[in-house]
Amino acid sequence: MAAASTTERVSRASSWVPVAAWGLGLVDIALGAAALVGIQADGLSRALGVLAVVLGVAALAWGAASLALDRTPAPRAAVAGAAAAVAIAVALLATAPGRAGILAIMTATGLGVAVACGVVRGTRRPSRRTSLWSLMAAAAVVTLVVVPALGACQGAALLDADGTVLPVVTHEGH
C-alpha cells in the first residue's frame, strides 16, 4: 500500500497557471470567432476557428477545475491542449483573419507556453496552496495582456479584402 502512495504524486501548479489558462481560453475563443465570422473567412479559417473555440472552452474549463480541485487535473492533457492551442493560433496566420489578429496570436502563443511550462513545473515541484493575493495579481496581469488581444480579434473579424478594417455599425435609433 505504501508503494502506491509514493508513486502517486499530486501535481499542483502555481496559482497563476489556471488564470493564464483562462486568458489563453478567452483569446482562443476570440480568435476562433473572428476566423468563423470574418468577412474574408474561408473553409480553412472556419475549420481552424472551430478548433480554436473548442480548445478555448477546454482551457476555461481546465482552469476552473484546477482552482476548484486545488491541484492540476490531467497535467499531460493540459500541456497537450496548450500546445494544440498554440499550434492552432499559429496556423491561423495562414488565413486572412489570422493575419489581422497578429497581436492576439502572439498573446495566445505566450500564454500557451506559460501554461505548459507552469503545468510541467507544478508536476515536478508541486506549489503551495493558492492565496487570494497571488490570484488577484495573476488576474490583473492576465487582464492587462488579454484585453488588447481581444480588441485585435475584433479587427481581424472586420478585415476587408483590401486590408482595411471596416467600421463597426452601431445601429443607434433602432
Side-chain angles (χ1 to χ4, degrees), residues 53-68:
V53 168
V54 168
L55 288 170
V57 170
L60 292 175
W62 180 87
S66 180
L67 287 177

Side-chain angles (χ1 to χ4, degrees), residues 95-153:
T95 68
R99 285 191 300 271
I102 187 71
L103 175 64
I105 291 170
M106 288 178 9
T107 302
T109 301
L111 287 170
V113 169
V115 167
C117 290
V119 169
V120 169
R121 180 171 161 68
T123 301
R124 293 183 179 162
R125 238 182 285 160
S127 178
R128 298 184 316 260
R129 298 189 68 81
T130 302
S131 74
L132 179 63
W133 293 110
S134 62
L135 279 175
M136 289 175 51
V141 169
V142 168
T143 300
L144 289 172
V145 171
V146 168
V147 169
L150 294 177
C153 290

Side-chain angles (χ1 to χ4, degrees), residues 14-67:
S14 297
S15 59
W16 60 265
V17 176
V19 179
W22 286 342
L24 173 63
L26 290 173
V27 173
D28 266 1
I29 290 169
L31 280 168
L36 285 169
V37 302
I39 293 170
Q40 292 185 346
D42 57 0
L44 175 64
S45 67
R46 286 192 175 102
L48 292 173
V50 168
L51 291 173
V53 168
V54 168
L55 288 170
V57 170
L60 292 175
W62 180 87
S66 180
L67 287 177

